[in-house]
């Protein structure tokens, strides 16, 4: 679907927004506006990463905004983000995206209609700023998710799905952080010294803020995974320690039982009247002695 958001008769530029174009619509756009085949090819790749390219007759930008709805096991670029292609000339901006995107109407009402967007560079800056802002709400959710896993890891019993959830959470943070890192060049070009202003600096500030947030989340996530394995190792050591203690208790007892279970004919103790109670008392004394020794060592 092709719609005109801002017509040149009313505004100092033209803004055309294209939603999920078919082959005929792409052919029409390519021929009418002189879009290069390589740009269209990049647009058709569903997992293409952010890029900024000066084609000559226009500037081609691919930016990825965070999806509104993300599954609990989403961990790829296409599952976590939606692609937006921007074709910018001095008097025209064309935006292309696969999924519905409500930002064009909002940007026109808040920026274009108030005559704060004077040229296409300013308009593209507002579009990029809107895309960057989509990462703010997911960062808050990721923070809550990390707190949830920390609480379950330290204060409650571990669940079977805890490690699986940690894996997908770490992947989600890592992929989102990588997308923001690759968007750095686009923000740099938008806020270039030649046309830097208050609006472009606001976009850069928002980008830097979210970039730092996701860097912190990534570090916290790595720390949380390391803590998980440390706790797992500690609990394994506790289990091994308990089993070792039990084995030490039964080792001398098993040795005594093994001796008197050989059933040789010439074993004097087998004929003694108080042989059995004496051996039982001896085994009890050994067990008590081991218990006292462990207690003094602080192993129990």
């Amino acid at each position: 679907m092709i719609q005109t958001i801002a017509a040149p008769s009313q505004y100092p530029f033209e803004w055309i927004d294209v939603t999920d174009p078919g082959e005929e619509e792409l052919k029409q756009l390519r021929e009418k506006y002189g879009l290069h085949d390589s740009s269209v090819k990049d647009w058709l790749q569903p997992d293409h990463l952010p890029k900024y390219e000066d084609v000559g007759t226009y500037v081609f930008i691919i930016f990825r905004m965070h999806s509104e709805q993300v599954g609990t096991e989403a961990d790829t670029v296409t599952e976590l983000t939606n692609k937006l292609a921007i074709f910018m000339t001095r008097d025209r901006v064309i935006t292309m995206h696969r999924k519905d995107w409500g930002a064009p109407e909002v940007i026109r009402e808040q920026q274009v209609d108030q005559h704060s967007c004077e040229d296409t560079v300013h308009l593209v800056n507002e579009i990029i700023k809107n895309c960057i802002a989509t990462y703010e709400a997911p960062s808050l959710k990721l923070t809550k998710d990390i707190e949830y896993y920390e609480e379950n890891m330290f204060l409650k019993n571990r669940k079977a799905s805890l490690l699986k959830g940690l894996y997908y959470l770490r992947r989600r943070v890592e992929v989102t952080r990588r997308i923001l890192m690759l968007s750095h060049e686009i923000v740099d070009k938008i806020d270039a010294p030649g046309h830097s202003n208050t609006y472009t600096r606001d976009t850069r500030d928002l980008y830097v803020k979210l970039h730092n947030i996701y860097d912190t989340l990534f570090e916290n996530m790595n720390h949380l995974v390391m803590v998980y394995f440390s706790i797992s190792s500690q609990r394994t050591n506790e289990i091994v320690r308990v089993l070792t203690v039990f084995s030490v208790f039964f080792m001398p007892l098993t040795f005594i039982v093994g001796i008197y279970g050989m059933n040789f004919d010439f074993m004097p103790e087998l004929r003694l009247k108080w042989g059995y109670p004496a051996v039982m008392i001896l085994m009890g004394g050994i067990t008590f002695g081991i218990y006292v020794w462990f207690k003094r060592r602080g192993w129990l």
Side-chain angles (χ1 to χ4, degrees), residues 149-250:
Y149 281 104
E150 285 179 343
E151 180 182 356
N152 279 272
M153 194 178 301
F154 289 103
L155 303 180
K156 300 180 181 178
N157 293 328
R158 291 180 302 161
K159 299 179 181 178
S161 60
L162 190 61
L163 183 58
K164 181 180 180 182
L166 277 174
Y167 166 77
Y168 283 111
L169 184 61
R170 184 181 183 280
R171 282 284 301 162
R172 197 149 62 241
V173 173
E174 182 182 5
V175 170
T176 310
R177 174 175 172 266
R178 183 158 57 94
I179 291 297
L180 280 174
M181 288 177 61
L182 293 173
S183 304
H184 182 264
E185 182 185 5
I186 299 173
V187 177
D188 270 353
K189 296 290 186 181
I190 293 297
D191 191 37
H195 43 73
S196 177
N197 53 46
T198 305
Y199 301 104
T200 58
R201 285 192 291 273
D202 284 345
T203 301
R204 180 183 289 276
D205 290 343
L206 179 60
Y207 171 81
V208 171
K209 169 190 170 184
L210 290 173
H211 191 280
N212 290 334
I213 288 175
Y214 278 93
D215 278 347
T216 303
L217 289 174
F218 184 71
E219 292 175 2
N220 291 344
M221 211 49 246
N222 284 335
H223 176 69
L224 194 59
V225 171
M226 291 176 62
V227 168
Y228 175 87
F229 287 113
S230 296
I231 292 176
S232 298
S233 177
Q234 181 182 1
R235 290 180 178 175
T236 301
N237 292 337
E238 285 290 326
I239 294 172
V240 172
R241 187 180 68 85
V242 172
L243 294 177
T244 303
V245 168
F246 275 104
S247 67
V248 171
F249 273 106
F250 284 99

